[in-house]
Amino acid sequence: MLQLPITTPPAPAGASVPMSPADAGAGGPGSLMERLLAHAQNAQDMSVQQLSVDLGQLASGRVSTIDLLRLQADMGAFTVRVQMTVRVADQIGNAIQTLSQRS
C-alpha cells in the first residue's frame, strides 16, 4: 500500500500551547475559555493554511494522485477542526448561559 508522507505546517507565530492541568486554574475561568478558543482558532488557521498550499499546487497545473490524496486528507482534517471549533463555542456558550441563569 502507498504511504503518504505526513507533513505538518509550522505553528503560526502566535500559536498557543495546550495547557497542563496545573495551568488550568492559574488565570481563572475567563482566561481558560479564551485560551481554549485561541487554541481552536489557531488549529483551524493552520488547516486553512495547509489547504491554501495544496490548492496552490493544484492550480500550478501539476496534478498527481498523491496531490489529490493529500488534498483529500487535508480537507478531512479541516472539517474536523471546524467541527471542533463549533463544539468548543457551543460548550462555552452553554456554560455562559448556565452561569447567567444562576446569577
Side-chain angles (χ1 to χ4, degrees):
M1 174 151 196
L2 179 64
Q3 291 286 346
L4 290 176
I6 298 180
T7 58
T8 54
S16 65
V17 178
M19 298 181 309
S20 68
D23 295 337
S31 68
L32 176 64
M33 286 189 263
E34 289 170 3
R35 291 169 68 182
L36 183 59
L37 282 174
H39 180 69
Q41 184 64 50
N42 287 335
Q44 186 172 341
D45 291 344
M46 288 187 332
S47 278
V48 168
Q49 181 182 15
Q50 185 60 42
L51 283 175
S52 296
V53 169
D54 291 340
L55 291 173
Q57 289 173 345
L58 291 175
S60 71
R62 300 175 300 123
V63 179
S64 69
T65 303
I66 295 290
D67 293 332
L68 292 175
L69 289 172
R70 191 172 291 129
L71 177 62
Q72 182 181 14
D74 289 339
M75 288 294 289
F78 177 73
T79 301
V80 167
R81 289 202 171 103
V82 167
Q83 290 172 347
M84 178 190 71
T85 304
V86 168
R87 177 83 171 147
V88 166
D90 285 344
Q91 290 296 320
I92 289 175
N94 289 338
I96 290 170
Q97 184 176 17
T98 301
L99 290 172
S100 310
Q101 291 173 352
R102 290 183 184 173
S103 330

